[in-house]
Short mmCIF file of all heavy atoms in Angstrom, two decimals:
data_model
loop_
_atom_site.label_atom_id
_atom_site.label_comp_id
_atom_site.label_asym_id
_atom_site.label_seq_id
_atom_site.Cartn_x
_atom_site.Cartn_y
_atom_site.Cartn_z
N HIS A 81 16.46 -32.89 -11.18
CA HIS A 81 16.64 -33.24 -9.77
C HIS A 81 15.88 -32.27 -8.87
O HIS A 81 15.38 -32.66 -7.82
CB HIS A 81 18.12 -33.25 -9.41
CG HIS A 81 18.84 -34.44 -9.99
ND1 HIS A 81 18.66 -35.71 -9.50
CD2 HIS A 81 19.71 -34.54 -11.03
CE1 HIS A 81 19.41 -36.56 -10.22
NE2 HIS A 81 20.04 -35.87 -11.14
N ALA A 82 15.77 -31.01 -9.30
CA ALA A 82 14.97 -30.04 -8.54
C ALA A 82 13.50 -30.42 -8.58
O ALA A 82 12.76 -30.24 -7.61
CB ALA A 82 15.18 -28.64 -9.12
N MET A 83 13.09 -30.95 -9.71
CA MET A 83 11.69 -31.33 -9.92
C MET A 83 11.31 -32.60 -9.16
O MET A 83 10.14 -32.76 -8.75
CB MET A 83 11.51 -31.55 -11.43
CG MET A 83 10.16 -31.97 -11.89
SD MET A 83 9.04 -30.57 -11.96
CE MET A 83 7.52 -31.47 -11.78
N ALA A 84 12.25 -33.49 -8.95
CA ALA A 84 11.95 -34.84 -8.44
C ALA A 84 11.16 -34.85 -7.12
O ALA A 84 10.14 -35.53 -7.03
CB ALA A 84 13.23 -35.66 -8.32
N PRO A 85 11.59 -34.09 -6.09
CA PRO A 85 10.83 -34.15 -4.84
C PRO A 85 9.42 -33.55 -4.96
O PRO A 85 8.50 -34.00 -4.28
CB PRO A 85 11.68 -33.35 -3.85
CG PRO A 85 12.63 -32.56 -4.68
CD PRO A 85 12.82 -33.30 -5.97
N ILE A 86 9.28 -32.58 -5.84
CA ILE A 86 7.95 -31.99 -6.07
C ILE A 86 7.05 -33.02 -6.73
O ILE A 86 5.89 -33.22 -6.34
CB ILE A 86 8.08 -30.72 -6.96
CG1 ILE A 86 8.97 -29.68 -6.26
CG2 ILE A 86 6.71 -30.15 -7.30
CD1 ILE A 86 9.51 -28.61 -7.18
N TYR A 87 7.60 -33.70 -7.71
CA TYR A 87 6.85 -34.74 -8.43
C TYR A 87 6.45 -35.87 -7.47
O TYR A 87 5.31 -36.36 -7.50
CB TYR A 87 7.74 -35.27 -9.56
CG TYR A 87 7.05 -36.18 -10.54
CD1 TYR A 87 6.07 -35.70 -11.41
CD2 TYR A 87 7.41 -37.52 -10.62
CE1 TYR A 87 5.46 -36.55 -12.33
CE2 TYR A 87 6.80 -38.37 -11.54
CZ TYR A 87 5.83 -37.87 -12.40
OH TYR A 87 5.23 -38.71 -13.31
N GLU A 88 7.37 -36.24 -6.60
CA GLU A 88 7.08 -37.30 -5.62
C GLU A 88 5.96 -36.88 -4.67
O GLU A 88 5.06 -37.66 -4.35
CB GLU A 88 8.33 -37.64 -4.80
CG GLU A 88 9.28 -38.52 -5.57
CD GLU A 88 10.62 -38.69 -4.86
OE1 GLU A 88 10.67 -38.51 -3.62
OE2 GLU A 88 11.60 -38.99 -5.55
N GLN A 89 6.02 -35.64 -4.25
CA GLN A 89 4.99 -35.12 -3.34
C GLN A 89 3.61 -35.15 -4.01
O GLN A 89 2.62 -35.58 -3.42
CB GLN A 89 5.35 -33.69 -2.92
CG GLN A 89 4.31 -32.99 -2.07
CD GLN A 89 4.22 -33.56 -0.67
OE1 GLN A 89 5.23 -33.94 -0.09
NE2 GLN A 89 3.02 -33.64 -0.14
N VAL A 90 3.57 -34.69 -5.25
CA VAL A 90 2.29 -34.63 -5.97
C VAL A 90 1.78 -36.05 -6.27
O VAL A 90 0.58 -36.32 -6.18
CB VAL A 90 2.44 -33.78 -7.25
CG1 VAL A 90 1.22 -33.91 -8.15
CG2 VAL A 90 2.66 -32.31 -6.86
N ALA A 91 2.69 -36.97 -6.57
CA ALA A 91 2.29 -38.37 -6.78
C ALA A 91 1.64 -38.92 -5.51
O ALA A 91 0.59 -39.57 -5.57
CB ALA A 91 3.50 -39.22 -7.16
N HIS A 92 2.24 -38.62 -4.39
CA HIS A 92 1.70 -39.09 -3.11
C HIS A 92 0.30 -38.53 -2.88
O HIS A 92 -0.58 -39.24 -2.39
CB HIS A 92 2.65 -38.65 -1.99
CG HIS A 92 2.26 -39.13 -0.65
ND1 HIS A 92 2.37 -40.44 -0.27
CD2 HIS A 92 1.72 -38.48 0.41
CE1 HIS A 92 1.92 -40.58 0.96
NE2 HIS A 92 1.52 -39.41 1.41
N GLU A 93 0.08 -37.30 -3.28
CA GLU A 93 -1.20 -36.65 -3.03
C GLU A 93 -2.28 -37.06 -4.03
O GLU A 93 -3.46 -37.12 -3.68
CB GLU A 93 -1.03 -35.12 -3.06
CG GLU A 93 -0.20 -34.60 -1.89
CD GLU A 93 0.03 -33.10 -1.98
OE1 GLU A 93 -0.86 -32.39 -2.45
OE2 GLU A 93 1.12 -32.66 -1.59
N LEU A 94 -1.89 -37.33 -5.27
CA LEU A 94 -2.91 -37.53 -6.32
C LEU A 94 -3.15 -38.99 -6.71
O LEU A 94 -4.13 -39.28 -7.41
CB LEU A 94 -2.59 -36.69 -7.55
CG LEU A 94 -2.61 -35.17 -7.36
CD1 LEU A 94 -2.46 -34.47 -8.71
CD2 LEU A 94 -3.87 -34.70 -6.66
N GLU A 95 -2.30 -39.93 -6.31
CA GLU A 95 -2.66 -41.33 -6.52
C GLU A 95 -3.89 -41.64 -5.68
O GLU A 95 -4.02 -41.09 -4.58
CB GLU A 95 -1.51 -42.26 -6.08
CG GLU A 95 -0.43 -42.39 -7.11
CD GLU A 95 0.52 -43.54 -6.76
OE1 GLU A 95 0.46 -44.08 -5.63
OE2 GLU A 95 1.34 -43.89 -7.61
N PRO A 96 -4.80 -42.52 -6.09
CA PRO A 96 -4.77 -43.32 -7.32
C PRO A 96 -5.57 -42.70 -8.47
O PRO A 96 -5.98 -43.40 -9.37
CB PRO A 96 -5.43 -44.62 -6.86
CG PRO A 96 -6.47 -44.17 -5.86
CD PRO A 96 -5.89 -42.93 -5.19
N ARG A 97 -5.76 -41.39 -8.42
CA ARG A 97 -6.48 -40.76 -9.54
C ARG A 97 -5.61 -40.69 -10.77
O ARG A 97 -6.09 -40.48 -11.88
CB ARG A 97 -6.93 -39.36 -9.12
CG ARG A 97 -7.94 -39.38 -7.97
CD ARG A 97 -8.26 -38.00 -7.50
NE ARG A 97 -8.83 -37.22 -8.59
CZ ARG A 97 -8.95 -35.90 -8.56
NH1 ARG A 97 -8.53 -35.23 -7.51
NH2 ARG A 97 -9.47 -35.26 -9.56
N PHE A 98 -4.31 -40.80 -10.57
CA PHE A 98 -3.34 -40.83 -11.67
C PHE A 98 -2.32 -41.92 -11.36
O PHE A 98 -2.10 -42.26 -10.19
CB PHE A 98 -2.55 -39.51 -11.75
CG PHE A 98 -3.35 -38.30 -12.09
CD1 PHE A 98 -3.98 -37.58 -11.09
CD2 PHE A 98 -3.44 -37.86 -13.40
CE1 PHE A 98 -4.71 -36.43 -11.40
CE2 PHE A 98 -4.16 -36.72 -13.71
CZ PHE A 98 -4.79 -35.99 -12.71
N ARG A 99 -1.67 -42.40 -12.39
CA ARG A 99 -0.46 -43.20 -12.25
C ARG A 99 0.71 -42.28 -12.56
O ARG A 99 0.66 -41.53 -13.55
CB ARG A 99 -0.49 -44.36 -13.26
CG ARG A 99 0.84 -45.00 -13.53
CD ARG A 99 1.32 -45.82 -12.38
NE ARG A 99 0.46 -46.97 -12.14
CZ ARG A 99 0.29 -47.53 -10.93
NH1 ARG A 99 0.91 -47.04 -9.88
NH2 ARG A 99 -0.50 -48.57 -10.78
N PHE A 100 1.75 -42.29 -11.73
CA PHE A 100 2.91 -41.44 -11.94
C PHE A 100 4.12 -42.30 -12.30
O PHE A 100 4.48 -43.21 -11.54
CB PHE A 100 3.22 -40.62 -10.68
CG PHE A 100 2.21 -39.53 -10.45
CD1 PHE A 100 1.02 -39.81 -9.78
CD2 PHE A 100 2.43 -38.24 -10.90
CE1 PHE A 100 0.07 -38.80 -9.57
CE2 PHE A 100 1.49 -37.24 -10.69
CZ PHE A 100 0.31 -37.52 -10.03
N LEU A 101 4.72 -42.00 -13.44
CA LEU A 101 5.90 -42.73 -13.89
C LEU A 101 7.07 -41.77 -14.06
O LEU A 101 6.89 -40.57 -14.28
CB LEU A 101 5.65 -43.38 -15.26
CG LEU A 101 4.53 -44.40 -15.38
CD1 LEU A 101 4.48 -44.92 -16.81
CD2 LEU A 101 4.69 -45.54 -14.40
N LYS A 102 8.27 -42.35 -13.99
CA LYS A 102 9.49 -41.61 -14.36
C LYS A 102 10.17 -42.39 -15.47
O LYS A 102 10.36 -43.59 -15.38
CB LYS A 102 10.42 -41.50 -13.15
CG LYS A 102 9.92 -40.51 -12.11
CD LYS A 102 10.84 -40.46 -10.92
CE LYS A 102 12.12 -39.70 -11.20
NZ LYS A 102 11.94 -38.24 -11.12
N LEU A 103 10.50 -41.67 -16.54
CA LEU A 103 11.18 -42.31 -17.64
C LEU A 103 12.54 -41.65 -17.86
O LEU A 103 12.62 -40.44 -18.13
CB LEU A 103 10.35 -42.24 -18.93
CG LEU A 103 11.00 -43.08 -20.01
CD1 LEU A 103 10.10 -44.22 -20.44
CD2 LEU A 103 11.41 -42.25 -21.21
N ASP A 104 13.59 -42.44 -17.71
CA ASP A 104 14.96 -41.96 -17.88
C ASP A 104 15.24 -41.87 -19.38
O ASP A 104 15.31 -42.89 -20.07
CB ASP A 104 15.91 -42.96 -17.19
CG ASP A 104 17.36 -42.52 -17.27
OD1 ASP A 104 17.71 -41.72 -18.16
OD2 ASP A 104 18.15 -43.00 -16.44
N THR A 105 15.40 -40.64 -19.87
CA THR A 105 15.52 -40.44 -21.32
C THR A 105 16.86 -40.94 -21.87
O THR A 105 16.99 -41.17 -23.07
CB THR A 105 15.35 -38.96 -21.69
OG1 THR A 105 16.30 -38.19 -20.95
CG2 THR A 105 13.96 -38.47 -21.36
N GLU A 106 17.86 -41.10 -20.98
CA GLU A 106 19.13 -41.67 -21.44
C GLU A 106 19.04 -43.17 -21.58
O GLU A 106 19.62 -43.76 -22.51
CB GLU A 106 20.23 -41.30 -20.46
CG GLU A 106 20.67 -39.87 -20.61
CD GLU A 106 22.12 -39.70 -20.23
OE1 GLU A 106 22.46 -40.00 -19.08
OE2 GLU A 106 22.90 -39.28 -21.09
N ALA A 107 18.30 -43.80 -20.68
CA ALA A 107 18.14 -45.25 -20.74
C ALA A 107 17.18 -45.66 -21.85
O ALA A 107 17.29 -46.74 -22.42
CB ALA A 107 17.65 -45.79 -19.39
N GLU A 108 16.20 -44.78 -22.13
CA GLU A 108 15.15 -45.11 -23.11
C GLU A 108 15.01 -44.00 -24.17
O GLU A 108 13.97 -43.35 -24.27
CB GLU A 108 13.81 -45.32 -22.39
CG GLU A 108 13.82 -46.42 -21.35
CD GLU A 108 13.98 -47.81 -21.96
OE1 GLU A 108 13.91 -47.93 -23.21
OE2 GLU A 108 14.18 -48.76 -21.19
N PRO A 109 16.08 -43.77 -24.95
CA PRO A 109 16.03 -42.66 -25.92
C PRO A 109 14.95 -42.85 -26.99
O PRO A 109 14.44 -41.85 -27.53
CB PRO A 109 17.43 -42.65 -26.54
CG PRO A 109 17.98 -44.02 -26.29
CD PRO A 109 17.37 -44.48 -25.00
N ALA A 110 14.56 -44.09 -27.28
CA ALA A 110 13.55 -44.32 -28.32
C ALA A 110 12.19 -43.76 -27.90
O ALA A 110 11.44 -43.23 -28.73
CB ALA A 110 13.43 -45.81 -28.64
N ILE A 111 11.89 -43.88 -26.61
CA ILE A 111 10.61 -43.34 -26.13
C ILE A 111 10.63 -41.81 -26.18
O ILE A 111 9.69 -41.17 -26.63
CB ILE A 111 10.32 -43.81 -24.68
CG1 ILE A 111 10.29 -45.34 -24.60
CG2 ILE A 111 9.02 -43.20 -24.17
CD1 ILE A 111 9.08 -45.99 -25.22
N ALA A 112 11.74 -41.24 -25.71
CA ALA A 112 11.87 -39.78 -25.75
C ALA A 112 11.79 -39.28 -27.19
O ALA A 112 11.18 -38.25 -27.48
CB ALA A 112 13.19 -39.35 -25.10
N GLY A 113 12.39 -40.04 -28.11
CA GLY A 113 12.35 -39.66 -29.52
C GLY A 113 10.95 -39.76 -30.12
O GLY A 113 10.54 -38.93 -30.92
N ARG A 114 10.21 -40.76 -29.69
CA ARG A 114 8.85 -40.97 -30.21
C ARG A 114 7.97 -39.75 -29.92
O ARG A 114 7.12 -39.38 -30.71
CB ARG A 114 8.26 -42.20 -29.56
CG ARG A 114 6.92 -42.62 -30.15
CD ARG A 114 6.17 -43.57 -29.23
NE ARG A 114 6.87 -44.82 -29.00
CZ ARG A 114 6.45 -45.74 -28.09
NH1 ARG A 114 5.37 -45.52 -27.39
NH2 ARG A 114 7.13 -46.85 -27.92
N TYR A 115 8.19 -39.15 -28.76
CA TYR A 115 7.36 -38.00 -28.37
C TYR A 115 8.07 -36.67 -28.58
O TYR A 115 7.62 -35.64 -28.11
CB TYR A 115 6.88 -38.17 -26.93
CG TYR A 115 6.00 -39.38 -26.80
CD1 TYR A 115 6.48 -40.56 -26.23
CD2 TYR A 115 4.71 -39.36 -27.31
CE1 TYR A 115 5.68 -41.69 -26.16
CE2 TYR A 115 3.91 -40.49 -27.25
CZ TYR A 115 4.40 -41.64 -26.68
OH TYR A 115 3.62 -42.76 -26.62
N ASN A 116 9.22 -36.75 -29.28
CA ASN A 116 9.90 -35.53 -29.66
C ASN A 116 10.27 -34.67 -28.45
O ASN A 116 10.12 -33.44 -28.48
CB ASN A 116 9.00 -34.74 -30.61
CG ASN A 116 9.81 -33.97 -31.63
OD1 ASN A 116 11.03 -34.19 -31.75
ND2 ASN A 116 9.16 -33.06 -32.33
N ILE A 117 10.74 -35.32 -27.39
CA ILE A 117 11.11 -34.60 -26.18
C ILE A 117 12.43 -33.87 -26.45
O ILE A 117 13.44 -34.49 -26.78
CB ILE A 117 11.32 -35.59 -24.99
CG1 ILE A 117 10.07 -36.44 -24.76
CG2 ILE A 117 11.74 -34.84 -23.74
CD1 ILE A 117 8.88 -35.73 -24.25
N ARG A 118 12.43 -32.56 -26.30
CA ARG A 118 13.63 -31.77 -26.55
C ARG A 118 14.26 -31.30 -25.26
O ARG A 118 15.44 -31.50 -25.01
CB ARG A 118 13.31 -30.58 -27.44
CG ARG A 118 12.90 -31.01 -28.83
CD ARG A 118 12.41 -29.82 -29.64
NE ARG A 118 11.77 -30.26 -30.87
CZ ARG A 118 12.41 -30.65 -31.96
NH1 ARG A 118 13.73 -30.64 -31.98
NH2 ARG A 118 11.76 -31.04 -33.02
N GLY A 119 13.49 -30.63 -24.44
CA GLY A 119 14.01 -30.15 -23.16
C GLY A 119 13.45 -31.00 -22.03
O GLY A 119 12.32 -31.45 -22.10
N ILE A 120 14.28 -31.22 -21.01
CA ILE A 120 13.78 -31.93 -19.84
C ILE A 120 14.04 -31.09 -18.60
O ILE A 120 14.98 -30.28 -18.62
CB ILE A 120 14.41 -33.34 -19.70
CG1 ILE A 120 15.93 -33.26 -19.76
CG2 ILE A 120 13.85 -34.27 -20.74
CD1 ILE A 120 16.62 -34.59 -19.48
N PRO A 121 13.26 -31.22 -17.53
CA PRO A 121 12.17 -32.19 -17.44
C PRO A 121 10.97 -31.80 -18.32
O PRO A 121 10.63 -30.64 -18.43
CB PRO A 121 11.76 -32.13 -15.96
CG PRO A 121 12.11 -30.73 -15.53
CD PRO A 121 13.35 -30.38 -16.31
N THR A 122 10.37 -32.82 -18.92
CA THR A 122 9.08 -32.67 -19.59
C THR A 122 8.08 -33.60 -18.93
O THR A 122 8.42 -34.75 -18.64
CB THR A 122 9.19 -32.99 -21.10
OG1 THR A 122 9.85 -31.92 -21.77
CG2 THR A 122 7.81 -33.17 -21.73
N LEU A 123 6.91 -33.10 -18.67
CA LEU A 123 5.84 -33.93 -18.14
C LEU A 123 4.79 -34.11 -19.21
O LEU A 123 4.45 -33.16 -19.93
CB LEU A 123 5.18 -33.25 -16.92
CG LEU A 123 6.06 -33.04 -15.70
CD1 LEU A 123 5.24 -32.39 -14.60
CD2 LEU A 123 6.64 -34.35 -15.21
N MET A 124 4.28 -35.34 -19.32
CA MET A 124 3.20 -35.62 -20.26
C MET A 124 2.11 -36.40 -19.53
O MET A 124 2.39 -37.17 -18.63
CB MET A 124 3.70 -36.41 -21.47
CG MET A 124 4.70 -35.62 -22.30
SD MET A 124 5.30 -36.52 -23.75
CE MET A 124 3.94 -36.25 -24.87
N VAL A 125 0.88 -36.18 -19.96
CA VAL A 125 -0.26 -36.93 -19.43
C VAL A 125 -0.85 -37.76 -20.56
O VAL A 125 -1.12 -37.22 -21.65
CB VAL A 125 -1.35 -35.98 -18.87
CG1 VAL A 125 -2.47 -36.79 -18.22
CG2 VAL A 125 -0.77 -34.97 -17.89
N PHE A 126 -1.00 -39.05 -20.31
CA PHE A 126 -1.54 -39.97 -21.31
C PHE A 126 -2.82 -40.62 -20.79
O PHE A 126 -2.97 -40.84 -19.59
CB PHE A 126 -0.55 -41.12 -21.58
CG PHE A 126 0.75 -40.71 -22.17
CD1 PHE A 126 1.80 -40.30 -21.37
CD2 PHE A 126 0.94 -40.76 -23.55
CE1 PHE A 126 3.03 -39.94 -21.92
CE2 PHE A 126 2.16 -40.40 -24.11
CZ PHE A 126 3.20 -39.99 -23.30
N ARG A 127 -3.70 -40.95 -21.71
CA ARG A 127 -4.80 -41.84 -21.36
C ARG A 127 -5.14 -42.68 -22.58
O ARG A 127 -5.35 -42.14 -23.67
CB ARG A 127 -6.01 -41.04 -20.91
CG ARG A 127 -7.06 -41.97 -20.29
CD ARG A 127 -8.09 -41.19 -19.53
NE ARG A 127 -8.79 -42.08 -18.61
CZ ARG A 127 -9.79 -41.68 -17.84
NH1 ARG A 127 -10.16 -40.42 -17.85
NH2 ARG A 127 -10.39 -42.54 -17.04
N HIS A 128 -5.17 -44.00 -22.37
CA HIS A 128 -5.47 -44.94 -23.44
C HIS A 128 -4.60 -44.65 -24.68
O HIS A 128 -5.08 -44.64 -25.81
CB HIS A 128 -6.96 -44.91 -23.80
CG HIS A 128 -7.83 -45.33 -22.65
ND1 HIS A 128 -9.10 -44.84 -22.45
CD2 HIS A 128 -7.59 -46.17 -21.61
CE1 HIS A 128 -9.61 -45.39 -21.35
NE2 HIS A 128 -8.72 -46.19 -20.82
N GLY A 129 -3.34 -44.39 -24.43
CA GLY A 129 -2.37 -44.23 -25.51
C GLY A 129 -2.28 -42.85 -26.13
O GLY A 129 -1.39 -42.58 -26.91
N LYS A 130 -3.22 -41.98 -25.77
CA LYS A 130 -3.21 -40.63 -26.35
C LYS A 130 -2.58 -39.62 -25.40
O LYS A 130 -2.75 -39.71 -24.19
CB LYS A 130 -4.65 -40.17 -26.62
CG LYS A 130 -5.34 -40.94 -27.73
CD LYS A 130 -6.50 -40.09 -28.30
CE LYS A 130 -7.19 -40.82 -29.43
NZ LYS A 130 -7.98 -41.96 -28.93
N VAL A 131 -1.88 -38.65 -25.99
CA VAL A 131 -1.30 -37.57 -25.20
C VAL A 131 -2.39 -36.54 -24.92
O VAL A 131 -2.99 -35.98 -25.84
CB VAL A 131 -0.15 -36.89 -25.97
CG1 VAL A 131 0.42 -35.74 -25.15
CG2 VAL A 131 0.94 -37.90 -26.31
N LEU A 132 -2.66 -36.31 -23.64
CA LEU A 132 -3.67 -35.32 -23.26
C LEU A 132 -3.06 -33.94 -23.04
O LEU A 132 -3.69 -32.93 -23.28
CB LEU A 132 -4.39 -35.74 -21.97
CG LEU A 132 -5.14 -37.07 -21.97
CD1 LEU A 132 -5.84 -37.27 -20.64
CD2 LEU A 132 -6.14 -37.13 -23.11
N ALA A 133 -1.84 -33.93 -22.53
CA ALA A 133 -1.21 -32.66 -22.19
C ALA A 133 0.29 -32.85 -22.07
O ALA A 133 0.77 -33.96 -21.85
CB ALA A 133 -1.77 -32.14 -20.87
N GLN A 134 1.01 -31.76 -22.20
CA GLN A 134 2.48 -31.80 -22.15
C GLN A 134 2.98 -30.46 -21.63
O GLN A 134 2.43 -29.41 -21.98
CB GLN A 134 2.99 -32.04 -23.58
CG GLN A 134 4.48 -32.04 -23.70
CD GLN A 134 4.92 -32.53 -25.07
OE1 GLN A 134 4.10 -32.92 -25.90
NE2 GLN A 134 6.21 -32.48 -25.32
N ARG A 135 4.02 -30.51 -20.82
CA ARG A 135 4.57 -29.30 -20.24
C ARG A 135 6.06 -29.50 -19.99
O ARG A 135 6.45 -30.55 -19.50
CB ARG A 135 3.90 -29.02 -18.90
CG ARG A 135 3.31 -27.65 -18.81
CD ARG A 135 2.76 -27.45 -17.42
NE ARG A 135 1.96 -26.24 -17.41
CZ ARG A 135 1.54 -25.63 -16.32
NH1 ARG A 135 1.85 -26.11 -15.14
NH2 ARG A 135 0.84 -24.52 -16.39
N ALA A 136 6.86 -28.49 -20.28
CA ALA A 136 8.30 -28.58 -20.04
C ALA A 136 8.69 -27.63 -18.92
O ALA A 136 8.05 -26.61 -18.70
CB ALA A 136 9.06 -28.24 -21.31
N GLY A 137 9.76 -28.00 -18.22
CA GLY A 137 10.31 -27.13 -17.19
C GLY A 137 9.86 -27.51 -15.79
O GLY A 137 8.90 -28.24 -15.61
N VAL A 138 10.60 -26.99 -14.82
CA VAL A 138 10.30 -27.28 -13.42
C VAL A 138 9.04 -26.54 -13.02
O VAL A 138 8.82 -25.39 -13.40
CB VAL A 138 11.48 -26.84 -12.52
CG1 VAL A 138 11.15 -27.09 -11.04
CG2 VAL A 138 12.75 -27.57 -12.91
N GLN A 139 8.20 -27.24 -12.26
CA GLN A 139 6.98 -26.61 -11.76
C GLN A 139 6.88 -26.76 -10.27
O GLN A 139 7.35 -27.73 -9.71
CB GLN A 139 5.77 -27.29 -12.40
CG GLN A 139 5.64 -26.88 -13.85
CD GLN A 139 4.98 -27.95 -14.65
OE1 GLN A 139 3.79 -28.12 -14.56
NE2 GLN A 139 5.77 -28.71 -15.39
N ASP A 140 6.25 -25.78 -9.62
CA ASP A 140 6.04 -25.94 -8.19
C ASP A 140 4.82 -26.82 -7.95
O ASP A 140 4.07 -27.14 -8.87
CB ASP A 140 5.93 -24.57 -7.49
CG ASP A 140 4.71 -23.78 -7.92
OD1 ASP A 140 3.62 -24.37 -8.04
OD2 ASP A 140 4.86 -22.56 -8.14
N ARG A 141 4.66 -27.22 -6.70
CA ARG A 141 3.64 -28.20 -6.37
C ARG A 141 2.24 -27.73 -6.74
O ARG A 141 1.46 -28.48 -7.32
CB ARG A 141 3.74 -28.48 -4.87
CG ARG A 141 2.67 -29.34 -4.30
CD ARG A 141 2.99 -29.69 -2.85
NE ARG A 141 1.79 -30.10 -2.17
CZ ARG A 141 1.02 -29.28 -1.46
NH1 ARG A 141 1.34 -28.01 -1.34
NH2 ARG A 141 -0.06 -29.73 -0.87
N ASN A 142 1.91 -26.48 -6.43
CA ASN A 142 0.55 -26.00 -6.67
C ASN A 142 0.24 -25.90 -8.16
O ASN A 142 -0.85 -26.27 -8.59
CB ASN A 142 0.33 -24.65 -5.99
CG ASN A 142 0.18 -24.81 -4.48
OD1 ASN A 142 -0.18 -25.89 -4.01
ND2 ASN A 142 0.49 -23.76 -3.75
N SER A 143 1.18 -25.41 -8.93
CA SER A 143 0.87 -25.29 -10.36
C SER A 143 0.84 -26.66 -11.03
O SER A 143 0.05 -26.89 -11.94
CB SER A 143 1.83 -24.33 -11.07
OG SER A 143 3.15 -24.69 -10.85
N LEU A 144 1.65 -27.59 -10.54
CA LEU A 144 1.61 -28.94 -11.09
C LEU A 144 0.25 -29.59 -10.80
O LEU A 144 -0.38 -30.18 -11.69
CB LEU A 144 2.76 -29.77 -10.49
CG LEU A 144 2.84 -31.23 -10.91
CD1 LEU A 144 2.85 -31.38 -12.43
CD2 LEU A 144 4.09 -31.89 -10.31
N LYS A 145 -0.21 -29.44 -9.58
CA LYS A 145 -1.51 -30.03 -9.22
C LYS A 145 -2.64 -29.37 -10.01
O LYS A 145 -3.54 -30.06 -10.51
CB LYS A 145 -1.76 -29.89 -7.72
CG LYS A 145 -0.96 -30.88 -6.91
CD LYS A 145 -1.16 -30.68 -5.43
CE LYS A 145 -2.51 -31.23 -4.97
NZ LYS A 145 -2.63 -31.14 -3.50
N ALA A 146 -2.59 -28.06 -10.11
CA ALA A 146 -3.66 -27.34 -10.83
C ALA A 146 -3.69 -27.76 -12.31
O ALA A 146 -4.75 -27.87 -12.92
CB ALA A 146 -3.44 -25.84 -10.71
N TRP A 147 -2.50 -28.00 -12.85
CA TRP A 147 -2.41 -28.42 -14.25
C TRP A 147 -2.99 -29.83 -14.44
O TRP A 147 -3.68 -30.12 -15.43
CB TRP A 147 -0.95 -28.37 -14.68
CG TRP A 147 -0.68 -28.81 -16.09
CD1 TRP A 147 -1.15 -28.24 -17.22
CD2 TRP A 147 0.10 -29.94 -16.49
NE1 TRP A 147 -0.70 -28.94 -18.32
CE2 TRP A 147 0.08 -29.98 -17.89
CE3 TRP A 147 0.85 -30.91 -15.79
CZ2 TRP A 147 0.75 -30.95 -18.62
CZ3 TRP A 147 1.52 -31.86 -16.51
CH2 TRP A 147 1.47 -31.89 -17.92
N LEU A 148 -2.74 -30.71 -13.49
CA LEU A 148 -3.18 -32.10 -13.62
C LEU A 148 -4.65 -32.33 -13.34
O LEU A 148 -5.28 -33.19 -13.94
CB LEU A 148 -2.35 -33.00 -12.68
CG LEU A 148 -0.91 -33.21 -13.08
CD1 LEU A 148 -0.18 -33.99 -11.97
CD2 LEU A 148 -0.79 -33.97 -14.40
N MET A 149 -5.21 -31.56 -12.42
CA MET A 149 -6.56 -31.81 -11.93
C MET A 149 -7.61 -32.09 -13.02
O MET A 149 -8.39 -33.02 -12.89
CB MET A 149 -7.06 -30.65 -11.07
CG MET A 149 -6.51 -30.64 -9.66
SD MET A 149 -6.71 -32.22 -8.83
CE MET A 149 -6.11 -31.77 -7.21
N PRO A 150 -7.65 -31.31 -14.09
CA PRO A 150 -8.71 -31.54 -15.09
C PRO A 150 -8.64 -32.93 -15.74
O PRO A 150 -9.62 -33.37 -16.32
CB PRO A 150 -8.47 -30.44 -16.13
CG PRO A 150 -7.64 -29.42 -15.46
CD PRO A 150 -6.84 -30.13 -14.41
#
Side-chain angles (χ1 to χ4, degrees):
H81 287 288
M83 179 79 204
I86 300 162
Y87 190 68
E88 282 171 23
Q89 175 71 37
V90 169
H92 183 71
E93 292 177 35
L94 296 188
E95 279 192 349
R97 296 174 60 195
F98 295 86
R99 162 72 65 209
F100 288 85
L101 300 180
K102 287 178 75 80
L103 188 117
D104 182 338
T105 55
E106 284 210 300
E108 301 292 350
I111 301 288
R114 187 197 298 172
Y115 296 103
N116 213 11
I117 304 292
R118 294 173 192 282
I120 52 174
T122 286
L123 296 181
M124 296 181 81
V125 185
F126 296 86
R127 191 166 199 183
H128 298 149
K130 292 203 178 71
V131 178
L132 300 183
Q134 178 170 356
R135 234 184 191 193
V138 178
Q139 287 151 76
D140 65 43
R141 173 172 160 266
N142 286 336
S143 54
L144 178 53
K145 284 177 76 175
W147 179 62
L148 289 174
M149 281 309 185

